Amino acid sequence: MSTKQQSTWTKTIVASMTSYIDAGSIVAGAAGLSLWEAYLGMGSVQLGMLAAFSSNAISAALGALIGGYICDRFGRKLVYTYDLVFYMLGMLLIVFAVNFPMLFAGYCVVGLSVGADVVASWTLIAENAPAKNRAKHCGSAQVAWALGPAVVLVMSVILGGLGLLGNRIVFAHLIVVALITWILRLRMPESDSWIANKEKEQELIAKGLWRKPRMRDLFIGPNLKGVMFLFGVYTIWNLCAGTMGFFLPYIYEKVGGVSNATANALTVGLFLTSALSTLTLFMRLADRYSRRVIYRVVACLFIAAWSIFLLPEQSLTMPLLVTFAILVGINNGSGQQAFYQMWGSELFPARYRASAQGVLFFSARVFLGFWSLCLPVITESFGFKVAAIFLVAFATISMLIGTIFNPNTAGKTLEQIEAERYGSVGTSPLSVNEQTGEQPQEYMAT
């Protein structure tokens, strides 16, 4: 392996650790929520505030929106370098919390940091990855995303006898991982793609041939097509994934009729299956074979998984619950999120790349928040089977959109993809027709 290849994989692995500490923070919060509730005497309002502003909801959504804008305006490295400092400060507040304001502040700071960091890291992975192996590099983040919750759940079981102290230790281990990642990041350079784009942009602006990018540009022309496509693929899919992330223990226990220990074991198995799926399917196949076929097959497995809960409750035997965990695990590792992470960088020019991901990440978390409010009401009023009908519908819509409009981007450089989508005159300064000096037209110039 060449030095260049080693350097590329080093960048990828360091960036991927964001997914470990992001997903780990979400699961650590869920695993210890009842312990914090008892320790601080929290009521339903305080519990709702923690859920709404955690790494899985509003604070992460806002962090992604803000972080994406900063990444495109001032560089990936600015967010990439300093964001984890705030993450560690937020984690320290949680680890040493002795009252609700400390705990809540920690959740908010961690959530904001996670949202910004995911956008920066996922963008950097795609920009640094070789065109022929982009899926392989992007998949590394999905492996880390699965391992984070798996490790946290195993630690929570092992340290369960320590009570709240055990949960504090689980959070503390994420600080250690973040510190190591931050130290490694200090040596990492800025994205070459962003530097080249910024230099070209400044040159064209000085000549009067371009203007500074604006957030509203994401909602016109080819940018809008990309946003709408990924909204259908990821945001709608995330309604199912978010349901799994927050309500899965409840579903296993209340609908499947298993014990809490069994529910946790099934969840660990799900995440381990996710990691294995990414390694054996997405990372090995998505650069070499039809992405449309891979996407359709794996997305259909997700539909089949949620369809299990359309069966009568007495039919939900352990083999069916294990089947659900396996099918969802395969989808989590090689399905919509893996493709979204890759497409989120491929389908937008460098000047809008992180901002677009920030907007999409924001929408996914906000819509999930609304759905999370509706789901308990639907379940309580009509039973979980009705909720499962909605989940199957969401999974089906996401499958159809991703299959029908699947972009042909495999093996192409980001610059090639940009030229195909935007032509010689487009939203990227790299696509301005320099031979004629043609001023960007229509939505590009207004």
Side-chain angles (χ1 to χ4, degrees), residues 217-237:
D217 293 339
L218 289 173
F219 303 100
I220 42 183
N223 280 340
L224 177 60
K225 293 179 181 179
V227 168
M228 294 302 295
F229 169 67
L230 292 177
F231 178 90
V233 167
Y234 182 66
T235 300
I236 295 178
W237 169 85

Side-chain angles (χ1 to χ4, degrees), residues 18-28 31 141-157 170 173-174 244-245 264 267-272 274-275 332:
T18 292
S19 296
Y20 180 98
I21 60 178
D22 175 15
S25 69
I26 295 172
V27 176
Q142 300 307 311
V143 175
W145 194 285
L147 290 179
V151 172
V152 164
L153 285 170
V154 171
M155 288 184 66
S156 297
V157 172
V170 171
H173 114 274
L174 293 172
M244 178 202 71
N264 288 334
T267 305
V268 171
L270 187 156
F271 284 118
L272 291 178
S274 296
N332 274 5

Side-chain angles (χ1 to χ4, degrees), residues 247-274:
F247 293 103
L248 190 56
Y250 169 87
I251 295 171
Y252 278 144
E253 294 175 38
K254 302 299 181 181
V255 183
V258 301
S259 66
N260 179 261
T262 301
N264 288 334
L266 286 168
T267 305
V268 171
L270 187 156
F271 284 118
L272 291 178
T273 302
S274 296

Side-chain angles (χ1 to χ4, degrees), residues 30 55 64 67 70 149 222 245 249 263 269 305 314 318 325 345 360 374 386 425:
S55 302
I70 294 175
Q314 59 269 25
M318 181 57 67
S345 293
L360 288 161
C374 297
V386 174
V425 179

Side-chain angles (χ1 to χ4, degrees), residues 55-111:
S55 302
N56 200 38
I58 295 174
S59 61
L62 291 174
L65 199 63
I66 297 169
Y69 173 81
I70 294 175
C71 278
D72 283 339
R73 185 73 182 274
F74 303 105
R76 291 40 166 143
K77 188 172 174 61
L78 179 64
V79 173
Y80 195 58
T81 301
Y82 297 106
D83 181 76
L84 283 186
V85 175
F86 291 98
Y87 177 91
M88 289 184 284
L89 290 175
M91 278 295 180
L92 286 171
L93 283 173
I94 296 175
V95 170
F96 294 104
V98 294
N99 52 49
F100 179 75
M102 284 184 68
L103 186 65
F104 180 71
Y107 267 60
C108 289
V109 173
V110 168

Side-chain angles (χ1 to χ4, degrees), residues 100-145:
F100 179 75
M102 284 184 68
L103 186 65
F104 180 71
Y107 267 60
C108 289
V109 173
V110 168
L112 286 167
S113 304
V114 159
D117 208 64
V118 165
V119 171
S121 297
W122 286 5
T123 300
L124 272 168
I125 291 172
E127 290 181 339
N128 288 327
K132 299 296 184 182
N133 292 307
R134 190 176 298 118
K136 183 177 293 186
H137 281 259
C138 289
S140 63
Q142 300 307 311
V143 175
W145 194 285

